[in-house]
Amino acid sequence: SPHSQPFCAILFQFAPHATPAAPTPRPRHRSQPPSSCNSHCVMCNIWQREKEFEFTPEQLETVLKNKLFEHVEHVGVTGGEPSLRDDLPEIFSAIIKSLPRLQSVSMITNGIEHEKIFVQIKEISQLCAKNNIYFNVMLSLDGVNDIHDVNRGVKNNFNAVMTLYKALSCVDNINLLIGCTITKINVWEVDSLLDFLKENNIYGRFR
């Protein structure tokens, strides 16, 4: 369809003892429909995948109202790049309306289209605050300056991420952090990124 939009991966976290056969206290289910991305990361080829079926917020809401998901406590929206969906706030709205035990939601973004992403996240944060839902936002950052740009395959991506981080730091009801993916390109520069995060009082995770 010419009007179809890229989707994003969704990670569900269920409440303890949600199912009798659950092997762990907090079983997880991952659903990853075809997605697209505007990064060209060295560690991932998802941006090369062709789009196939994509469902609407209304279809997602119908699916999540199934009893299978009635114990879900957390939903993480990743990608590809979730912000490529113009209806991203509606996706979160569908998630919140459909899951009676939901406590928190999260998303991961590459920050490339930082102005658009800021507007989306601000709207989602307001939606979460209204429904007493904890909102966690992770910005991907793999190094300082060109190291990040090379790892992600996009020029000026580092500057875009930092611009978005500073803007989101002023938004209420968001737990904001940085996520670093370690590859053979940035592995020897991880210490420099850690120093940068410490100097700027930024919380980050490395994987």
Side-chain angles (χ1 to χ4, degrees), residues 66-78:
N66 188 290
K67 290 188 67 175
L68 174 66
F69 301 102
E70 66 181 359
H71 294 282
V72 170
E73 291 186 337
H74 174 80
V75 175
V77 178
T78 60

Side-chain angles (χ1 to χ4, degrees), residues 33-71:
S35 56
S36 64
C37 189
N38 51 353
S39 289
H40 293 76
C41 303
V42 298
M43 78 294 285
C44 174
N45 63 0
I46 199 168
W47 53 274
Q48 296 175 317
R49 291 169 51 181
E50 295 183 2
K51 290 182 288 184
E52 297 176 4
F53 172 76
E54 298 148 349
F55 49 84
T56 65
E58 293 76 19
Q59 291 171 323
L60 176 62
E61 186 174 343
T62 298
V63 170
L64 294 182
K65 285 181 177 178
N66 188 290
K67 290 188 67 175
L68 174 66
F69 301 102
E70 66 181 359
H71 294 282

Side-chain angles (χ1 to χ4, degrees), residues 184-202:
K184 63 182 180 181
I185 287 178
N186 69 346
V187 64
W188 301 113
E189 303 295 335
V190 169
D191 286 346
S192 296
L193 176 59
L194 179 60
D195 291 341
F196 174 82
L197 298 180
K198 288 181 177 179
E199 290 169 5
N200 291 276
N201 196 30
I202 298 173

Side-chain angles (χ1 to χ4, degrees), residues 91-106:
I91 291 291
F92 276 90
S93 178
I95 291 169
I96 291 171
K97 288 191 294 184
S98 305
L99 302 173
R101 299 195 182 189
L102 190 68
Q103 297 180 11
S104 62
V105 294
S106 64

